Amino acid sequence: MAKVRESFGSSMAAVMAMAGSAIGLGNIWRFPYMVGQNGGAAFIIVYLLSAFFLSLPILLSETIIGRRTHAGTFGAMERLAPGTKWKWLGFLTIISPLIILSYYSVVGGWSIEYLIKAAGSGFGEDVPSLFGEFIVKPWAPLICHTLFLLLTAGVVSAGVKSGIERFNRISLPLLFVLIIVIMVYALTLPGSGEGVRYLLKPDFSKITPSVVASAMGQSFFSLSLGVGTILTYSSYMKKSANIFTSGVGTAFFDLLFALLAGFAIMPAVFAAGIEPGAGPGLIFETLPYIFAKMGAVAPWLSRGVSVLFFLTIVIAALTSSISMCEVGVAYLVDEKKMSRAKSSALIFGGCWLLGALCSLSFGPLSGVHLLGRTIFDFCDALTSNYLMTFGSLLFVLFVGWKMPRAAVWDEFTNGGTLSGNRRIFGVVWFLIRYVAPLVILTIFLTNLLA
Ligand code: TRP
């Protein structure tokens, strides 16, 4: 008898796993800065609109495919469109998350190094230059990358329920507790009000078409769309789960965490009198510098907060990397009938190698360029600017134009039993079929021509 495919124990478990995938570095190092730079509360409104009218339909499309077939990206295409070119979408969305995993785990590795530093010797005020010295080293970042990827593959190899579900069930609430503790602390610092104003002061004059496009891009990245992670997680959802409320729950937790991260970080940045920035510089230079300054006044408090902060980053990154790893593992387990342990080991090996090249591209391999970019930057740009948007476009086209409307309706309303979903189906269908493809195509072409 064929082995029964695993599933998440409850709808809440599925939402937690999907929110875990969504909540990651994007929420911590990009969202707060984007909000502050692009019109504060005005940007938050634009972001909300794009999350719910554009990203949610994409997320629902992936969910509909995954839950309908109970198969990973490749198997889903084989089942819904056998013998067609759609199988390439299946392949593409196995490759994309593995490329993301490779470079994401390099950054995950840096976070582990900083967590160890925070707990050990702590930070001195020379920390910004230390970061520059650290990432160009060959060995230390490589060891941390290995460790991060080992943790990721370890959780995935333990199984959907006893690995992924269990890890997220503990991590997600913990992440919220941690970020709230850090936020409460940051808001009590003298001068923190400036940071709150930076995040909230509405300035509608900043809302230009390019700001709207970047809000959309950020909501794609933040919800982990277009690369089959949401599809794969949804394939472990039970038939009784409500696709719509699960999707809304995921988007809600993702946005909530991004806002909390903003209120945890920006008040501290302003209290220290520093200009805010985004990206690796914010979390590996600016914040450790603030911790160092705090340390001069209150050493234990500084030590405690910095450990909590880097712990938050490591866990947030792990819940995302686990979802990327699972896409490849699901393929090998379902389609190639490999054991979960062997599949995880194989994915670990491949991503370790590409990740190692990404890691070394800051140091010994910095001279190697692909289309004018270092290996790390190339992988990042390829996935964030092209593969995620392209995958999203194909997913909405697949659900809107390839799948029969009756099948989509059946999946979205659980065979017509969910009256709320029945009522909104028309709107969702319109968004998936017309609005999402046109908007994504515009973004994709803009990226291509930029
Ligand atoms: N959403 C994650 C974050 O905010 C990162 C991410 C981007 C991702 N694409 C993904 C995670 C694909 C899983 C799968 O950091």
Side-chain angles (χ1 to χ4, degrees):
M1 209 182 87
K3 242 176 79 189
V4 178
R5 196 166 182 272
E6 280 194 274
S7 64
F8 288 128
S10 65
S11 301
M12 197 53 203
V15 173
M16 279 191 173
M18 289 201 273
S21 171
I23 294 170
L25 296 166
N27 304 55
I28 299 168
W29 84 20
R30 241 160 71 94
F31 183 81
Y33 177 76
M34 282 183 97
V35 171
Q37 287 299 301
N38 297 317
F43 181 87
I44 295 177
I45 294 172
V46 174
Y47 184 86
L48 251 170
L49 292 175
S50 39
F52 281 89
F53 290 100
L54 180 69
S55 301
L56 189 61
I58 305 171
L59 191 141
L60 292 174
S61 302
E62 286 199 38
T63 312
I64 286 167
I65 302 173
R67 217 269 303 258
R68 180 113 193 126
T69 55
H70 288 303
T73 58
F74 182 79
M77 292 299 127
E78 279 292 279
R79 248 150 270 187
L80 293 174
T84 63
K85 292 214 167 48
W86 287 103
K87 76 159 177 274
W88 295 107
L89 173 59
F91 271 124
L92 177 76
T93 45
I94 292 170
I95 304 299
S96 310
L98 297 180
I99 300 176
I100 303 179
L101 177 56
S102 304
Y103 71 82
Y104 204 86
S105 65
V106 172
V107 183
W110 300 344
S111 323
I112 292 185
E113 159 77 15
Y114 272 67
L115 173 60
I116 296 170
K117 215 189 207 67
S121 60
F123 298 107
E125 293 200 14
D126 55 348
V127 81
S129 56
L130 277 185
F131 180 60
E133 286 163 27
F134 170 70
I135 55 174
V136 301
K137 281 187 202 158
W139 291 110
L142 215 50
I143 293 169
C144 295
H145 154 68
T146 310
L147 196 62
F148 183 85
L149 209 49
L150 266 179
L151 287 171
T152 304
V155 173
V156 171
S157 76
V160 173
K161 239 200 183 106
S162 34
I164 300 173
E165 178 175 328
R166 185 138 52 123
F167 188 83
N168 280 298
R169 203 186 319 123
I170 299 166
S171 298
L172 209 72
L174 182 64
L175 279 175
F176 277 91
V177 171
L178 287 170
I179 203 76
I180 289 171
V181 169
I182 300 171
M183 181 184 77
V184 169
Y185 170 72
L187 289 175
T188 59
L189 294 172
S192 61
E194 203 45 50
V196 176
R197 262 188 297 283
Y198 173 78
L199 286 170
L200 287 185
K201 198 163 157 270
D203 181 355
F204 285 91
S205 71
K206 292 253 176 76
I207 306 300
T208 60
S210 87
V211 166
V212 175
S214 45
M216 290 172 176
Q218 170 66 10
S219 74
F220 273 26
F221 186 83
S222 195
L223 283 169
S224 315
L225 300 176
V227 296
T229 34
I230 297 295
L231 189 160
T232 306
Y233 270 181
S234 316
S235 75
Y236 301 121
M237 253 160 100
K238 294 211 163 108
K239 278 289 175 212
S240 54
N242 185 331
I243 286 183
F244 183 70
T245 50
S246 305
V248 172
T250 304
F252 171 78
F253 284 128
D254 185 49
L255 179 63
L256 182 63
F257 190 86
L259 288 171
L260 291 173
F263 288 114
I265 293 171
M266 290 307 169
V269 171
F270 278 88
I274 300 174
E275 268 301 296
L282 176 67
I283 56 178
F284 297 113
E285 294 175 354
T286 309
L287 288 168
Y289 177 74
I290 295 171
F291 294 136
K293 277 183 69 175
M294 267 165 57
V297 192
W300 288 107
L301 198 58
S302 153
R303 185 62 65 87
V305 177
S306 61
V307 169
L308 294 187
F309 180 74
F310 283 103
L311 186 65
T312 309
I313 304 227
V314 171
I315 299 174
L318 273 174
T319 54
S320 298
S321 64
I322 287 166
S323 74
M324 306 175 203
C325 184
E326 176 58 24
V327 179
V329 169
Y331 168 69
L332 296 174
V333 169
D334 291 345
E335 311 299 322
K336 298 286 163 200
K337 307 295 171 221
M338 257 184 215
S339 73
R340 196 157 254 282
K342 202 166 155 199
S343 311
S344 311
L346 212 64
I347 301 290
F348 169 84
C351 291
W352 183 85
L353 201 64
L354 182 57
L357 295 176
C358 290
S359 180
L360 293 171
S361 76
F362 288 95
L365 297 182
S366 59
V368 180
H369 285 109
L370 300 167
L371 299 176
R373 291 186 154 99
T374 64
I375 305 173
F376 183 98
D377 288 342
F378 176 79
C379 291
D380 179 15
L382 177 70
T383 49
S384 311
N385 299 346
Y386 304 108
L387 297 182
M388 294 187 79
T389 21
F390 190 50
S392 299
L393 177 63
L394 293 178
F395 280 132
V396 286
L397 287 178
F398 187 83
V399 173
W401 298 89
K402 172 77 188 162
M403 275 177 80
R405 186 179 190 277
V408 179
W409 189 85
D410 183 54
E411 205 52 41
F412 187 74
T413 62
N414 290 0
T417 57
L418 300 171
S419 59
N421 292 16
R422 270 202 319 257
R423 238 169 287 138
I424 52 170
F425 179 75
V427 180
V428 172
W429 179 245
F430 180 76
L431 290 172
I432 292 179
R433 204 164 145 93
Y434 301 103
V435 179
L438 284 175
V439 179
I440 305 167
L441 190 65
T442 316
I443 298 180
F444 183 66
L445 292 179
T446 316
N447 284 339
L448 207 62
L449 301 175

